[in-house]
Amino acid sequence: MAATRIIPMHHNKGKTLAQCLKDRIDYAENGEKTENGAFISSYGCDPETAEEEFLISKREYFRLTGRAPIGDISAYQVRQSFQPGEVSPEEANQIGYEL
């Protein structure tokens, strides 16, 4: 049975926001899980520049609204898992994209 979770990623103490975002993106892009990047896609950003785009977006949000994010959440991660053979890697990627 498939499982999908939306997980808040928190800003770790002792690290900059940029470092935290880089750590999270590096984890998500793990070559062993993505067949060396074959199953990495993005929505509204470029995977190559996602860290910078997140930082720009956060700065722009603050500039426009004057509001800082509540708590120490730096981003959200959508995590999905399937039982072996339940879907192909291509189908899993498409399901994640549509979500």
Side-chain angles (χ1 to χ4, degrees), residues 3-4 17 24 29 31 33 37 41 44 46 49 63-64 68-69 72 79-80 82-84 93 96:
T4 302
L17 177 58
R24 302 297 192 244
E29 291 180 339
K33 298 180 212 174
S41 59
D46 184 323
T49 58
R63 187 186 70 76
L64 292 171
D72 63 348
R79 189 177 296 169
Q80 59 185 21
F82 302 91
Q83 290 185 10
N93 187 269

Side-chain angles (χ1 to χ4, degrees), residues 74-90:
S74 56
Y76 290 88
Q77 178 188 62
V78 176
R79 189 177 296 169
Q80 59 185 21
S81 61
F82 302 91
Q83 290 185 10
E86 188 173 4
V87 296
S88 70
E90 294 84 3

